[in-house]
Amino acid sequence: MPISQHLRRPESRTAHRWIGAVAFGAASILVLAGCGGSGGSGDSGSASQTLTFGLSAEPATPITGMQQGGAVNQLLTMVHRGLMTYDESGAVTPGLAESVDTTDPTSYVFTLRPDLTFHDDTPLTAENVKNSLDYYRDPANGSQLAAGLKDITDIATDGDTVTITLAQPNTAFLQYLALPFAAIVPDASLNADTPNWVGAGPFEMTDLEQGIGLTVEKSDNYYDADDVALDSIEVKFYPDGEARTNALLSGDVDMIEYVPWENFQRVSDAGLTVDAQQGPFQYVQFNVTDGPFAEPKVRQAVAYALNRENAVLAAFQSNGAPLNGIVIPEDDPAYDPAAADLWSYDPEKAKELLAEAGYPDGFSATLLSTSQYTFLQDNALSVQEDLRAIGIDVTLDAPDWSTRVSKGNAGEYDIAVSGDAGVVTDPSYLLNWVVDSRNFNVGWGYSNDTLRGLIEEGLRSSDDDAKRDIYAQVAELWAEEVPFASINTREQAYAYNDKVSGFETLPGFLVFYSSLNLAHASVE
Amino acid sequence: MLFFILKRMAMGVGLVLLVLTLIFSALQLVPGDPAVLLLSTGDGGAPSPEAVEKLREQLGLNQPLLTQYFSFLSGVFTGDLGESFRTSQPVLEAIGARLPRTLMLVVFATVLSIVIGVAMGAIAARRGGWVDTLVTALSSIGVALPVFVFGAVLILLFSITLKWFPAGGYVDPSKDLLGSLASLTLPAISLAVGFAAQIARMTRSAVLEVQTQDWVRTAKSIGLAPFTVFRRHVLRNSLTPVVTVVGIGFGTLLGSTVLVERVFNYPGLSSLLVDGVTTRDYPVVQGVVIVIALLFIAINIVVDIVYGILDPRVRRA
């Protein structure tokens, strides 16, 4: 049969091709499977110490002096150093300065370490210090340090020393100089157009791949270079918390920051270290311009209505703690446990307060939060339940973060749930909430000159007993006025595998600057 | 024919203008100030008004809206899509880096889908019985399974437990080809699963239909071996509708990369768009949307023209 002969020949050839393609596909998948595994372990076996670090966001290009959020700060702690810095326990200690002399509470004499050099090999001089600080303290430059450095009246240089004169004593002054965005930088970086990468810190940025990651390498110019064990840090960007955790668990990276709370247990069950500190706090903020929340008794009612244990469980899977008042670090002279215990969970008392304020049957209100940061939304849901229990019928508004910020900045809410942390640990961070600064993080329209005066007095007070007295008054007024009703503090964690040693997170609000300690870390 | 092509092209240009205007207006309507957002994150520290004002000025956001619109339009037509607010990287450069990555992922997933889908569909139709039931069940699951769920399962199994593949990320193929393929495998599989299931169903029903055609009976009657008949006369003729599905599916696949790129931390075009939207990085969002729109419009024009060539009736319409 000639026809079938004709048909059969090409067909068997194509059949072979078909089978071949499938076989090739299967084989290549197997090969890929193999190399995926070996690739990971091959990298870490090399002699030089490279830490792979999973960052929680793709950072914006750093701009000198600007506060651009946690991810940028992590990087700044690697490449920069200021006159002061934080040591491994979180105490303020000299950084680029070798020593600080304080002859009186308004003048500071900093002596620079010898032979300081920036990453670009230019020398770091007292003039650079003056120029950087002058830039930071000028509000026109949009620097976030302007408020912290506003007491500076004069900066003088003489050889290796820099003398700073303050208008009045400021107990948080040195803390501000230790912030990652208070670094001394070359004069050429003192503008908003030059990316703020060149510094005098332990690591130097050598490679940036947008969207993927960046590499910093140990800088021999760093004053403490002999003690830096890591040769380089390979930073990879993982905006998604789940992807970040997976990267750590699968060994793609050695260390991550900002561990999602629902993954704490999973990470530690896998035998990795979850290194957490109780840091930032969540709170209910009020729009006080009109309506029920203009009345302090209603705000007190809210403070008593909050079931904080529930919120901690719902939002942080218990990786947090209820907060019945305001945060003052234990090592601060103003510390008094009473300040952290201004209200309790007492719905009955809350109802009484509502009745006294003229709302025995409650009222309805809108609650602004965001769905983008789930922990804020979960806290808001908990608050919604608690307020419903005392008769306040709350409608939840949880848009994406951008919209939440813009609504917050326009005062488009009755109450809102937020999270925040002090930039420094000095309790003067509370100043933010008692001025009518009209931004998304502050109770809309709230200001209180008495509270503001007291906190500023506390900032000027170098006498420990006096400071404690002042903050006792602050706490008393705070309980009465309720500029915000606190909900809880949350644990903020780094996690790493057992190759990493010598790293520890910093306590309290400083937890966000923990990457400073990468200068003391090593990998096996 | 030339007139037909020109007409289609002119409509394409009109569409591009419409898309440009729509995307510009949409971004203005969405709340959220890019300058404020650049200076604030989820955990506190509201920026000072001075800082915001300075940044707005630097980004050109303090200009009148109409000025911004026309400078945006003229930028687009001179091939300048501006710079990212966040990274200062030229948008065109960012897209140039990321578009190939996403296309690579989509092409890999398409190839996987075709190979697996056609094979499964053909086997199901030919064998029938429990094989058919199994394939039909699997393809139902495949179509219904959300890509992020499947992706998470793949990561748990192959990255965290077995440690065969990286849990995510991207490796440049020019630097490390095998590493690059390894990092592409899991995302491509999770992207492919739904599409493969669709192709399997399509192939199965097409094969079942073609099997009953006269020419198949004829081929059998001249004494060809059953497999020969199947491969030469059934499968080949069944693939025509499958090819159409693949054409349409490519676009859908491009859309599905949004979730896959998130789950696998894959720095492609979709993740650039998502990050751009969440941070209100206007130039990036505008740029990516323009490129995607151009891509779709171009594909449609090509499809129209091809139809026109194949079927003269379309040209007269």
Side-chain angles (χ1 to χ4, degrees), chain A residues 1 3-4 7-8 10-12 14-15 18 22 29 31-38 57-63 66-71 135 139-144 192-193 207 209-212 236-240 242-243 245-252 258 266 280 372-373 375-376 400-403 405-407 409 419-421 423 432 437 439-442 490 492 512, chain B residues 30-33 36-52 54-55 58 85-89 93-94 97-98 101 108 112 114-115 118-119 152 155-156 159-172 175 177-182 185 189 222-225 227-229 231-233 235-236 262-267 271-272 275 277-280:
Chain A
M1 276 204 266
I3 295 175
S4 70
L7 284 173
R8 197 163 283 152
E11 141 213 323
S12 60
T14 356
W18 177 245
V22 172
I29 286 174
V31 168
L32 292 179
C35 72
S38 62
E58 172 171 11
T61 304
I63 305 171
M66 297 270 182
Q67 223 279 48
Q68 292 166 286
Y135 184 83
N141 291 325
S143 150
Q144 289 295 295
D193 303 315
D207 184 38
E209 274 191 283
Q210 304 280 11
I212 301 177
K236 296 180 185 173
F237 311 145
Y238 291 92
D240 185 75
E242 205 58 33
T245 309
N246 287 336
L248 179 71
L249 291 175
S250 67
D252 290 357
Y258 220 130
R266 201 172 144 220
Q372 195 168 328
Y373 294 94
F375 69 91
L376 289 179
D400 74 329
W401 176 246
S402 307
T403 310
V405 166
S406 118
K407 284 189 164 182
N409 281 338
D420 205 346
V423 169
N432 268 343
S437 73
N439 69 50
F440 67 94
N441 239 12
V442 181
R490 64 176 198 252
Q492 198 67 29
F512 290 114
Chain B
V30 179
D33 180 341
V36 174
L37 284 163
L38 268 173
L39 300 175
S40 48
T41 46
D43 34 61
S48 69
E50 290 92 349
V52 173
K54 201 170 166 68
L55 199 59
Q58 202 195 336
F85 286 168
R86 301 181 66 242
T87 61
S88 306
Q89 189 188 21
E93 197 181 283
R98 286 170 181 251
R101 295 180 200 156
F108 194 175
L112 275 178
I114 295 173
V115 171
V118 169
I155 291 175
L156 189 64
S159 303
I160 294 174
T161 311
L162 297 171
K163 300 201 192 296
W164 285 359
F165 294 96
Y170 167 81
V171 180
D172 192 335
K175 288 181 190 155
L177 185 63
L178 284 177
S180 172
L181 283 172
T185 303
I189 291 176
I222 59 171
L224 291 183
F227 183 73
T228 312
V229 176
R231 201 194 49 73
R232 178 109 172 87
H233 295 288
L235 190 58
R236 184 168 294 180
R262 199 77 187 162
V263 171
F264 289 96
N265 202 50
Y266 190 80
S271 54
L272 184 67
D275 292 344
V277 170
T278 49
T279 54
R280 303 293 190 265

Side-chain angles (χ1 to χ4, degrees), chain A residues 347-422:
Chain A
E348 285 314 310
K349 183 157 186 179
K351 279 186 200 161
E352 279 168 31
L353 283 163
L354 266 192
E356 279 176 39
Y359 300 98
D361 303 321
F363 54 89
S364 38
T366 59
L367 188 159
L368 181 63
S369 189
T370 172
S371 54
Q372 195 168 328
Y373 294 94
T374 16
F375 69 91
L376 289 179
Q377 183 173 5
D378 293 341
N379 267 301
L381 288 169
S382 177
V383 169
Q384 185 185 29
E385 274 312 301
D386 297 341
L387 295 188
R388 192 169 284 155
I390 62 163
I392 304 178
D393 183 25
V394 171
T395 313
L396 184 63
D397 181 12
D400 74 329
W401 176 246
S402 307
T403 310
R404 188 260 176 264
V405 166
S406 118
K407 284 189 164 182
N409 281 338
E412 288 170 17
Y413 62 91
D414 294 322
I415 51 175
V417 168
S418 281
D420 205 346

Side-chain angles (χ1 to χ4, degrees), chain B residues 8-18 77 297 301:
Chain B
R8 282 285 178 276
M9 301 277 250
M11 275 175 71
V13 172
L15 262 176
V16 170
L17 253 175
L18 187 71
F77 287 109
I297 291 170
I301 292 176

Side-chain angles (χ1 to χ4, degrees), chain A residues 318-336:
Chain A
S318 298
N319 299 304
L323 178 62
N324 293 313
I326 49 180
V327 177
I328 299 179
E330 276 186 45
D331 57 357
D332 194 280
Y335 177 72
D336 177 359

